[in-house]
Amino acid sequence: MLERTESCDLPTRWANFRLIGFMEGSTVKDHVALTLGNVADGPPVLARVHSECLTGDALFSQRCDCGPQLELAMRRIADAGRGVILYLRQEGRGIGLLNKIHAYRLQDQGADTVEANLKLGFAEDQRDYAAAAEMFRALGVSQVRLLTNNPRKVAALQGSGISVIDRLPHQAGETVHNRRYLATKADKLGHRFD
């Protein structure tokens, strides 16, 4: 279901990562892994599974905390000298970019992020982490120290055979514009903010 494609060096302001492409055959989605150091050498790997967020990661939106979380993960892995970031192409909790814009409009009218997805006929969170587990296995990673606040992500990886040895809190980017968004993640999606 998952095919490893090309790889290259990716120098960033934090470290020189290795960028590895993957193609998910069942959905024809392409995903990438950023690796630093030897991640297949046995000990649990510091890791982040990050879902694409064009608005937060590339357009610097303050409606969410996605961009700051990605940057923090890159910095934490660079500081550790070893780790993996999986960047999954599942925008808007899996509803896609254009539907996310519809959801944003509903949020502008008073809905929270969960209510907006439900009003559009989607589940509150449609993301799937099976590809992430396959990517970890393809990289030789079976145990992770996961940078996340999302217990569903931990459960999904463990259910797919990846041992989450530790869940490390991963908070960044709170603004006046995303406080309701963060509260909804905690109250309705079970995210743990320490």
PDB file of all heavy atoms in Angstrom, residues 146-183:
ATOM      1  N   LEU A 146       6.801   9.993  21.276  1.00  0.00           N
ATOM      2  CA  LEU A 146       5.961  10.771  20.379  1.00  0.00           C
ATOM      3  C   LEU A 146       5.675  12.167  20.911  1.00  0.00           C
ATOM      4  O   LEU A 146       5.174  12.329  22.025  1.00  0.00           O
ATOM      5  CB  LEU A 146       4.644  10.026  20.135  1.00  0.00           C
ATOM      6  CG  LEU A 146       3.796  10.495  18.974  1.00  0.00           C
ATOM      7  CD1 LEU A 146       4.532  10.306  17.640  1.00  0.00           C
ATOM      8  CD2 LEU A 146       2.472   9.736  18.951  1.00  0.00           C
ATOM      9  N   LEU A 147       5.973  13.174  20.088  1.00  0.00           N
ATOM     10  CA  LEU A 147       5.677  14.568  20.389  1.00  0.00           C
ATOM     11  C   LEU A 147       4.229  14.830  19.986  1.00  0.00           C
ATOM     12  O   LEU A 147       3.927  15.052  18.812  1.00  0.00           O
ATOM     13  CB  LEU A 147       6.616  15.491  19.600  1.00  0.00           C
ATOM     14  CG  LEU A 147       8.108  15.338  19.870  1.00  0.00           C
ATOM     15  CD1 LEU A 147       8.927  16.068  18.805  1.00  0.00           C
ATOM     16  CD2 LEU A 147       8.446  15.854  21.261  1.00  0.00           C
ATOM     17  N   THR A 148       3.312  14.782  20.942  1.00  0.00           N
ATOM     18  CA  THR A 148       1.897  14.978  20.638  1.00  0.00           C
ATOM     19  C   THR A 148       1.099  15.284  21.885  1.00  0.00           C
ATOM     20  O   THR A 148       1.484  14.904  22.990  1.00  0.00           O
ATOM     21  CB  THR A 148       1.291  13.742  19.925  1.00  0.00           C
ATOM     22  OG1 THR A 148      -0.015  14.060  19.454  1.00  0.00           O
ATOM     23  CG2 THR A 148       1.209  12.538  20.851  1.00  0.00           C
ATOM     24  N   ASN A 149      -0.033  15.931  21.671  1.00  0.00           N
ATOM     25  CA  ASN A 149      -1.022  16.143  22.730  1.00  0.00           C
ATOM     26  C   ASN A 149      -2.264  15.293  22.483  1.00  0.00           C
ATOM     27  O   ASN A 149      -3.216  15.352  23.246  1.00  0.00           O
ATOM     28  CB  ASN A 149      -1.425  17.630  22.773  1.00  0.00           C
ATOM     29  CG  ASN A 149      -0.229  18.534  22.955  1.00  0.00           C
ATOM     30  OD1 ASN A 149       0.621  18.288  23.793  1.00  0.00           O
ATOM     31  ND2 ASN A 149      -0.149  19.579  22.148  1.00  0.00           N
ATOM     32  N   ASN A 150      -2.229  14.507  21.398  1.00  0.00           N
ATOM     33  CA  ASN A 150      -3.407  13.799  20.911  1.00  0.00           C
ATOM     34  C   ASN A 150      -3.377  12.313  21.288  1.00  0.00           C
ATOM     35  O   ASN A 150      -2.661  11.536  20.674  1.00  0.00           O
ATOM     36  CB  ASN A 150      -3.475  13.954  19.384  1.00  0.00           C
ATOM     37  CG  ASN A 150      -4.722  13.378  18.779  1.00  0.00           C
ATOM     38  OD1 ASN A 150      -5.482  12.670  19.422  1.00  0.00           O
ATOM     39  ND2 ASN A 150      -4.933  13.668  17.509  1.00  0.00           N
ATOM     40  N   PRO A 151      -4.187  11.901  22.267  1.00  0.00           N
ATOM     41  CA  PRO A 151      -4.196  10.493  22.664  1.00  0.00           C
ATOM     42  C   PRO A 151      -4.720   9.557  21.575  1.00  0.00           C
ATOM     43  O   PRO A 151      -4.361   8.384  21.540  1.00  0.00           O
ATOM     44  CB  PRO A 151      -5.084  10.461  23.907  1.00  0.00           C
ATOM     45  CG  PRO A 151      -5.873  11.713  23.880  1.00  0.00           C
ATOM     46  CD  PRO A 151      -5.083  12.720  23.095  1.00  0.00           C
ATOM     47  N   ARG A 152      -5.559  10.065  20.665  1.00  0.00           N
ATOM     48  CA  ARG A 152      -6.050   9.228  19.562  1.00  0.00           C
ATOM     49  C   ARG A 152      -4.912   8.834  18.629  1.00  0.00           C
ATOM     50  O   ARG A 152      -4.903   7.738  18.070  1.00  0.00           O
ATOM     51  CB  ARG A 152      -7.129   9.962  18.771  1.00  0.00           C
ATOM     52  CG  ARG A 152      -8.400  10.216  19.544  1.00  0.00           C
ATOM     53  CD  ARG A 152      -9.407  10.957  18.699  1.00  0.00           C
ATOM     54  NE  ARG A 152     -10.572  11.339  19.480  1.00  0.00           N
ATOM     55  CZ  ARG A 152     -11.681  11.817  18.953  1.00  0.00           C
ATOM     56  NH1 ARG A 152     -11.779  11.981  17.640  1.00  0.00           N
ATOM     57  NH2 ARG A 152     -12.691  12.147  19.725  1.00  0.00           N
ATOM     58  N   LYS A 153      -3.957   9.724  18.444  1.00  0.00           N
ATOM     59  CA  LYS A 153      -2.794   9.438  17.603  1.00  0.00           C
ATOM     60  C   LYS A 153      -1.954   8.338  18.248  1.00  0.00           C
ATOM     61  O   LYS A 153      -1.500   7.419  17.570  1.00  0.00           O
ATOM     62  CB  LYS A 153      -1.974  10.717  17.427  1.00  0.00           C
ATOM     63  CG  LYS A 153      -0.940  10.668  16.344  1.00  0.00           C
ATOM     64  CD  LYS A 153      -0.181  11.997  16.242  1.00  0.00           C
ATOM     65  CE  LYS A 153      -1.060  13.131  15.785  1.00  0.00           C
ATOM     66  NZ  LYS A 153      -0.288  14.400  15.599  1.00  0.00           N
ATOM     67  N   VAL A 154      -1.765   8.440  19.557  1.00  0.00           N
ATOM     68  CA  VAL A 154      -1.023   7.409  20.290  1.00  0.00           C
ATOM     69  C   VAL A 154      -1.715   6.057  20.126  1.00  0.00           C
ATOM     70  O   VAL A 154      -1.075   5.057  19.777  1.00  0.00           O
ATOM     71  CB  VAL A 154      -0.901   7.774  21.794  1.00  0.00           C
ATOM     72  CG1 VAL A 154      -0.296   6.628  22.585  1.00  0.00           C
ATOM     73  CG2 VAL A 154      -0.080   9.048  21.967  1.00  0.00           C
ATOM     74  N   ALA A 155      -3.013   6.017  20.353  1.00  0.00           N
ATOM     75  CA  ALA A 155      -3.767   4.759  20.256  1.00  0.00           C
ATOM     76  C   ALA A 155      -3.719   4.191  18.842  1.00  0.00           C
ATOM     77  O   ALA A 155      -3.575   2.971  18.659  1.00  0.00           O
ATOM     78  CB  ALA A 155      -5.214   4.986  20.689  1.00  0.00           C
ATOM     79  N   ALA A 156      -3.841   5.051  17.830  1.00  0.00           N
ATOM     80  CA  ALA A 156      -3.821   4.576  16.439  1.00  0.00           C
ATOM     81  C   ALA A 156      -2.473   3.959  16.090  1.00  0.00           C
ATOM     82  O   ALA A 156      -2.416   2.902  15.451  1.00  0.00           O
ATOM     83  CB  ALA A 156      -4.142   5.717  15.489  1.00  0.00           C
ATOM     84  N   LEU A 157      -1.389   4.592  16.505  1.00  0.00           N
ATOM     85  CA  LEU A 157      -0.060   4.039  16.208  1.00  0.00           C
ATOM     86  C   LEU A 157       0.147   2.721  16.941  1.00  0.00           C
ATOM     87  O   LEU A 157       0.637   1.746  16.366  1.00  0.00           O
ATOM     88  CB  LEU A 157       1.033   5.043  16.571  1.00  0.00           C
ATOM     89  CG  LEU A 157       1.128   6.272  15.670  1.00  0.00           C
ATOM     90  CD1 LEU A 157       2.170   7.241  16.208  1.00  0.00           C
ATOM     91  CD2 LEU A 157       1.455   5.878  14.236  1.00  0.00           C
ATOM     92  N   GLN A 158      -0.233   2.689  18.211  1.00  0.00           N
ATOM     93  CA  GLN A 158      -0.068   1.451  18.969  1.00  0.00           C
ATOM     94  C   GLN A 158      -0.929   0.342  18.380  1.00  0.00           C
ATOM     95  O   GLN A 158      -0.499  -0.805  18.304  1.00  0.00           O
ATOM     96  CB  GLN A 158      -0.396   1.680  20.445  1.00  0.00           C
ATOM     97  CG  GLN A 158       0.671   2.497  21.138  1.00  0.00           C
ATOM     98  CD  GLN A 158       0.386   2.762  22.601  1.00  0.00           C
ATOM     99  OE1 GLN A 158      -0.755   2.951  23.014  1.00  0.00           O
ATOM    100  NE2 GLN A 158       1.437   2.807  23.394  1.00  0.00           N
ATOM    101  N   GLY A 159      -2.126   0.671  17.924  1.00  0.00           N
ATOM    102  CA  GLY A 159      -2.998  -0.312  17.295  1.00  0.00           C
ATOM    103  C   GLY A 159      -2.460  -0.820  15.972  1.00  0.00           C
ATOM    104  O   GLY A 159      -2.861  -1.881  15.499  1.00  0.00           O
ATOM    105  N   SER A 160      -1.533  -0.060  15.373  1.00  0.00           N
ATOM    106  CA  SER A 160      -0.908  -0.461  14.107  1.00  0.00           C
ATOM    107  C   SER A 160       0.466  -1.082  14.303  1.00  0.00           C
ATOM    108  O   SER A 160       1.214  -1.256  13.348  1.00  0.00           O
ATOM    109  CB  SER A 160      -0.793   0.752  13.176  1.00  0.00           C
ATOM    110  OG  SER A 160      -2.065   1.228  12.823  1.00  0.00           O
ATOM    111  N   GLY A 161       0.817  -1.359  15.560  1.00  0.00           N
ATOM    112  CA  GLY A 161       2.064  -2.070  15.829  1.00  0.00           C
ATOM    113  C   GLY A 161       3.275  -1.220  16.123  1.00  0.00           C
ATOM    114  O   GLY A 161       4.395  -1.744  16.241  1.00  0.00           O
ATOM    115  N   ILE A 162       3.116   0.085  16.272  1.00  0.00           N
ATOM    116  CA  ILE A 162       4.235   0.951  16.645  1.00  0.00           C
ATOM    117  C   ILE A 162       4.158   1.194  18.151  1.00  0.00           C
ATOM    118  O   ILE A 162       3.127   1.656  18.654  1.00  0.00           O
ATOM    119  CB  ILE A 162       4.197   2.297  15.878  1.00  0.00           C
ATOM    120  CG1 ILE A 162       4.240   2.070  14.371  1.00  0.00           C
ATOM    121  CG2 ILE A 162       5.322   3.220  16.333  1.00  0.00           C
ATOM    122  CD1 ILE A 162       5.478   1.367  13.850  1.00  0.00           C
ATOM    123  N   SER A 163       5.212   0.895  18.864  1.00  0.00           N
ATOM    124  CA  SER A 163       5.228   1.080  20.316  1.00  0.00           C
ATOM    125  C   SER A 163       5.506   2.539  20.650  1.00  0.00           C
ATOM    126  O   SER A 163       6.551   3.075  20.288  1.00  0.00           O
ATOM    127  CB  SER A 163       6.312   0.221  20.960  1.00  0.00           C
ATOM    128  OG  SER A 163       6.022  -1.143  20.781  1.00  0.00           O
ATOM    129  N   VAL A 164       4.546   3.164  21.311  1.00  0.00           N
ATOM    130  CA  VAL A 164       4.735   4.533  21.786  1.00  0.00           C
ATOM    131  C   VAL A 164       5.239   4.417  23.221  1.00  0.00           C
ATOM    132  O   VAL A 164       4.464   4.185  24.144  1.00  0.00           O
ATOM    133  CB  VAL A 164       3.441   5.365  21.686  1.00  0.00           C
ATOM    134  CG1 VAL A 164       3.680   6.780  22.207  1.00  0.00           C
ATOM    135  CG2 VAL A 164       2.940   5.394  20.243  1.00  0.00           C
ATOM    136  N   ILE A 165       6.539   4.536  23.365  1.00  0.00           N
ATOM    137  CA  ILE A 165       7.183   4.367  24.670  1.00  0.00           C
ATOM    138  C   ILE A 165       6.846   5.526  25.602  1.00  0.00           C
ATOM    139  O   ILE A 165       6.717   5.361  26.809  1.00  0.00           O
ATOM    140  CB  ILE A 165       8.723   4.253  24.497  1.00  0.00           C
ATOM    141  CG1 ILE A 165       9.080   3.091  23.563  1.00  0.00           C
ATOM    142  CG2 ILE A 165       9.439   4.140  25.824  1.00  0.00           C
ATOM    143  CD1 ILE A 165       8.576   1.743  24.001  1.00  0.00           C
ATOM    144  N   ASP A 166       6.701   6.715  25.014  1.00  0.00           N
ATOM    145  CA  ASP A 166       6.433   7.901  25.811  1.00  0.00           C
ATOM    146  C   ASP A 166       5.667   8.900  24.958  1.00  0.00           C
ATOM    147  O   ASP A 166       5.939   9.028  23.769  1.00  0.00           O
ATOM    148  CB  ASP A 166       7.765   8.509  26.272  1.00  0.00           C
ATOM    149  CG  ASP A 166       7.624   9.490  27.421  1.00  0.00           C
ATOM    150  OD1 ASP A 166       6.519   9.608  27.985  1.00  0.00           O
ATOM    151  OD2 ASP A 166       8.629  10.148  27.749  1.00  0.00           O
ATOM    152  N   ARG A 167       4.694   9.580  25.567  1.00  0.00           N
ATOM    153  CA  ARG A 167       4.019  10.699  24.913  1.00  0.00           C
ATOM    154  C   ARG A 167       4.568  11.968  25.537  1.00  0.00           C
ATOM    155  O   ARG A 167       4.448  12.197  26.735  1.00  0.00           O
ATOM    156  CB  ARG A 167       2.505  10.651  25.131  1.00  0.00           C
ATOM    157  CG  ARG A 167       1.784  11.817  24.414  1.00  0.00           C
ATOM    158  CD  ARG A 167       0.365  12.048  24.917  1.00  0.00           C
ATOM    159  NE  ARG A 167       0.295  12.556  26.271  1.00  0.00           N
ATOM    160  CZ  ARG A 167       0.403  13.843  26.617  1.00  0.00           C
ATOM    161  NH1 ARG A 167       0.628  14.777  25.712  1.00  0.00           N
ATOM    162  NH2 ARG A 167       0.299  14.210  27.883  1.00  0.00           N
ATOM    163  N   LEU A 168       5.202  12.793  24.708  1.00  0.00           N
ATOM    164  CA  LEU A 168       5.809  14.016  25.203  1.00  0.00           C
ATOM    165  C   LEU A 168       4.912  15.206  24.844  1.00  0.00           C
ATOM    166  O   LEU A 168       4.573  15.382  23.671  1.00  0.00           O
ATOM    167  CB  LEU A 168       7.198  14.208  24.587  1.00  0.00           C
ATOM    168  CG  LEU A 168       8.166  13.047  24.830  1.00  0.00           C
ATOM    169  CD1 LEU A 168       9.423  13.212  24.005  1.00  0.00           C
ATOM    170  CD2 LEU A 168       8.499  12.942  26.308  1.00  0.00           C
ATOM    171  N   PRO A 169       4.497  16.007  25.826  1.00  0.00           N
ATOM    172  CA  PRO A 169       3.662  17.173  25.530  1.00  0.00           C
ATOM    173  C   PRO A 169       4.319  18.047  24.469  1.00  0.00           C
ATOM    174  O   PRO A 169       5.548  18.184  24.440  1.00  0.00           O
ATOM    175  CB  PRO A 169       3.576  17.906  26.870  1.00  0.00           C
ATOM    176  CG  PRO A 169       3.886  16.867  27.898  1.00  0.00           C
ATOM    177  CD  PRO A 169       4.844  15.910  27.250  1.00  0.00           C
ATOM    178  N   HIS A 170       3.487  18.632  23.610  1.00  0.00           N
ATOM    179  CA  HIS A 170       4.039  19.390  22.477  1.00  0.00           C
ATOM    180  C   HIS A 170       3.164  20.615  22.223  1.00  0.00           C
ATOM    181  O   HIS A 170       2.304  20.615  21.350  1.00  0.00           O
ATOM    182  CB  HIS A 170       4.093  18.474  21.244  1.00  0.00           C
ATOM    183  CG  HIS A 170       4.931  19.004  20.146  1.00  0.00           C
ATOM    184  ND1 HIS A 170       6.296  19.133  20.241  1.00  0.00           N
ATOM    185  CD2 HIS A 170       4.595  19.456  18.915  1.00  0.00           C
ATOM    186  CE1 HIS A 170       6.775  19.622  19.125  1.00  0.00           C
ATOM    187  NE2 HIS A 170       5.752  19.842  18.301  1.00  0.00           N
ATOM    188  N   GLN A 171       3.394  21.663  23.008  1.00  0.00           N
ATOM    189  CA  GLN A 171       2.578  22.861  22.912  1.00  0.00           C
ATOM    190  C   GLN A 171       3.385  24.015  22.343  1.00  0.00           C
ATOM    191  O   GLN A 171       4.524  24.242  22.741  1.00  0.00           O
ATOM    192  CB  GLN A 171       2.056  23.259  24.291  1.00  0.00           C
ATOM    193  CG  GLN A 171       1.009  22.301  24.803  1.00  0.00           C
ATOM    194  CD  GLN A 171       0.564  22.646  26.202  1.00  0.00           C
ATOM    195  OE1 GLN A 171       0.764  21.863  27.106  1.00  0.00           O
ATOM    196  NE2 GLN A 171      -0.045  23.801  26.365  1.00  0.00           N
ATOM    197  N   ALA A 172       2.764  24.727  21.412  1.00  0.00           N
ATOM    198  CA  ALA A 172       3.400  25.904  20.817  1.00  0.00           C
ATOM    199  C   ALA A 172       2.329  26.711  20.095  1.00  0.00           C
ATOM    200  O   ALA A 172       1.350  26.153  19.606  1.00  0.00           O
ATOM    201  CB  ALA A 172       4.473  25.481  19.820  1.00  0.00           C
ATOM    202  N   GLY A 173       2.519  28.008  20.036  1.00  0.00           N
ATOM    203  CA  GLY A 173       1.714  28.837  19.156  1.00  0.00           C
ATOM    204  C   GLY A 173       0.355  29.272  19.649  1.00  0.00           C
ATOM    205  O   GLY A 173      -0.505  29.605  18.834  1.00  0.00           O
ATOM    206  N   GLU A 174       0.133  29.321  20.948  1.00  0.00           N
ATOM    207  CA  GLU A 174      -1.166  29.815  21.415  1.00  0.00           C
ATOM    208  C   GLU A 174      -1.258  31.313  21.149  1.00  0.00           C
ATOM    209  O   GLU A 174      -0.315  32.063  21.427  1.00  0.00           O
ATOM    210  CB  GLU A 174      -1.352  29.547  22.906  1.00  0.00           C
ATOM    211  CG  GLU A 174      -2.705  30.022  23.413  1.00  0.00           C
ATOM    212  CD  GLU A 174      -2.941  29.747  24.891  1.00  0.00           C
ATOM    213  OE1 GLU A 174      -2.273  28.876  25.453  1.00  0.00           O
ATOM    214  OE2 GLU A 174      -3.813  30.434  25.466  1.00  0.00           O
ATOM    215  N   THR A 175      -2.392  31.740  20.574  1.00  0.00           N
ATOM    216  CA  THR A 175      -2.634  33.157  20.305  1.00  0.00           C
ATOM    217  C   THR A 175      -4.067  33.495  20.720  1.00  0.00           C
ATOM    218  O   THR A 175      -4.866  32.600  21.002  1.00  0.00           O
ATOM    219  CB  THR A 175      -2.475  33.483  18.792  1.00  0.00           C
ATOM    220  OG1 THR A 175      -3.580  32.910  18.078  1.00  0.00           O
ATOM    221  CG2 THR A 175      -1.166  32.978  18.236  1.00  0.00           C
ATOM    222  N   VAL A 176      -4.397  34.765  20.681  1.00  0.00           N
ATOM    223  CA  VAL A 176      -5.774  35.169  20.974  1.00  0.00           C
ATOM    224  C   VAL A 176      -6.722  34.633  19.909  1.00  0.00           C
ATOM    225  O   VAL A 176      -7.911  34.462  20.163  1.00  0.00           O
ATOM    226  CB  VAL A 176      -5.916  36.709  21.088  1.00  0.00           C
ATOM    227  CG1 VAL A 176      -5.122  37.245  22.259  1.00  0.00           C
ATOM    228  CG2 VAL A 176      -5.501  37.396  19.797  1.00  0.00           C
ATOM    229  N   HIS A 177      -6.195  34.334  18.717  1.00  0.00           N
ATOM    230  CA  HIS A 177      -7.024  33.868  17.609  1.00  0.00           C
ATOM    231  C   HIS A 177      -7.333  32.367  17.663  1.00  0.00           C
ATOM    232  O   HIS A 177      -8.235  31.916  16.965  1.00  0.00           O
ATOM    233  CB  HIS A 177      -6.358  34.189  16.269  1.00  0.00           C
ATOM    234  CG  HIS A 177      -6.064  35.638  16.095  1.00  0.00           C
ATOM    235  ND1 HIS A 177      -7.033  36.581  15.829  1.00  0.00           N
ATOM    236  CD2 HIS A 177      -4.892  36.319  16.178  1.00  0.00           C
ATOM    237  CE1 HIS A 177      -6.473  37.775  15.751  1.00  0.00           C
ATOM    238  NE2 HIS A 177      -5.183  37.646  15.953  1.00  0.00           N
ATOM    239  N   ASN A 178      -6.572  31.600  18.451  1.00  0.00           N
ATOM    240  CA  ASN A 178      -6.795  30.147  18.440  1.00  0.00           C
ATOM    241  C   ASN A 178      -7.159  29.577  19.810  1.00  0.00           C
ATOM    242  O   ASN A 178      -7.177  28.364  19.975  1.00  0.00           O
ATOM    243  CB  ASN A 178      -5.591  29.409  17.847  1.00  0.00           C
ATOM    244  CG  ASN A 178      -4.325  29.515  18.679  1.00  0.00           C
ATOM    245  OD1 ASN A 178      -4.350  29.857  19.857  1.00  0.00           O
ATOM    246  ND2 ASN A 178      -3.200  29.213  18.060  1.00  0.00           N
ATOM    247  N   ARG A 179      -7.463  30.417  20.757  1.00  0.00           N
ATOM    248  CA  ARG A 179      -7.799  29.893  22.095  1.00  0.00           C
ATOM    249  C   ARG A 179      -9.020  28.992  22.066  1.00  0.00           C
ATOM    250  O   ARG A 179      -9.052  27.947  22.703  1.00  0.00           O
ATOM    251  CB  ARG A 179      -7.988  31.042  23.078  1.00  0.00           C
ATOM    252  CG  ARG A 179      -6.669  31.658  23.486  1.00  0.00           C
ATOM    253  CD  ARG A 179      -6.802  32.588  24.676  1.00  0.00           C
ATOM    254  NE  ARG A 179      -5.498  33.181  24.928  1.00  0.00           N
ATOM    255  CZ  ARG A 179      -5.279  34.471  25.033  1.00  0.00           C
ATOM    256  NH1 ARG A 179      -6.284  35.324  24.944  1.00  0.00           N
ATOM    257  NH2 ARG A 179      -4.063  34.925  25.261  1.00  0.00           N
ATOM    258  N   ARG A 180     -10.050  29.385  21.316  1.00  0.00           N
ATOM    259  CA  ARG A 180     -11.251  28.542  21.225  1.00  0.00           C
ATOM    260  C   ARG A 180     -10.929  27.227  20.514  1.00  0.00           C
ATOM    261  O   ARG A 180     -11.411  26.167  20.895  1.00  0.00           O
ATOM    262  CB  ARG A 180     -12.368  29.286  20.493  1.00  0.00           C
ATOM    263  CG  ARG A 180     -13.661  28.490  20.471  1.00  0.00           C
ATOM    264  CD  ARG A 180     -14.803  29.299  19.911  1.00  0.00           C
ATOM    265  NE  ARG A 180     -16.036  28.516  19.984  1.00  0.00           N
ATOM    266  CZ  ARG A 180     -16.966  28.543  19.063  1.00  0.00           C
ATOM    267  NH1 ARG A 180     -16.843  29.341  18.016  1.00  0.00           N
ATOM    268  NH2 ARG A 180     -18.039  27.803  19.180  1.00  0.00           N
ATOM    269  N   TYR A 181     -10.133  27.302  19.477  1.00  0.00           N
ATOM    270  CA  TYR A 181      -9.687  26.105  18.747  1.00  0.00           C
ATOM    271  C   TYR A 181      -8.976  25.132  19.694  1.00  0.00           C
ATOM    272  O   TYR A 181      -9.269  23.936  19.706  1.00  0.00           O
ATOM    273  CB  TYR A 181      -8.765  26.553  17.609  1.00  0.00           C
ATOM    274  CG  TYR A 181      -7.942  25.482  16.963  1.00  0.00           C
ATOM    275  CD1 TYR A 181      -8.469  24.668  15.960  1.00  0.00           C
ATOM    276  CD2 TYR A 181      -6.607  25.292  17.324  1.00  0.00           C
ATOM    277  CE1 TYR A 181      -7.702  23.699  15.347  1.00  0.00           C
ATOM    278  CE2 TYR A 181      -5.840  24.327  16.714  1.00  0.00           C
ATOM    279  CZ  TYR A 181      -6.383  23.531  15.727  1.00  0.00           C
ATOM    280  OH  TYR A 181      -5.610  22.565  15.128  1.00  0.00           O
ATOM    281  N   LEU A 182      -8.055  25.648  20.507  1.00  0.00           N
ATOM    282  CA  LEU A 182      -7.321  24.787  21.442  1.00  0.00           C
ATOM    283  C   LEU A 182      -8.256  24.231  22.514  1.00  0.00           C
ATOM    284  O   LEU A 182      -8.140  23.059  22.890  1.00  0.00           O
ATOM    285  CB  LEU A 182      -6.157  25.563  22.072  1.00  0.00           C
ATOM    286  CG  LEU A 182      -5.062  25.999  21.101  1.00  0.00           C
ATOM    287  CD1 LEU A 182      -4.055  26.913  21.801  1.00  0.00           C
ATOM    288  CD2 LEU A 182      -4.363  24.801  20.490  1.00  0.00           C
ATOM    289  N   ALA A 183      -9.189  25.048  22.999  1.00  0.00           N
ATOM    290  CA  ALA A 183     -10.151  24.565  23.995  1.00  0.00           C
ATOM    291  C   ALA A 183     -11.023  23.462  23.410  1.00  0.00           C
ATOM    292  O   ALA A 183     -11.318  22.462  24.081  1.00  0.00           O
ATOM    293  CB  ALA A 183     -11.018  25.728  24.500  1.00  0.00           C
TER     294      ALA A 183
END
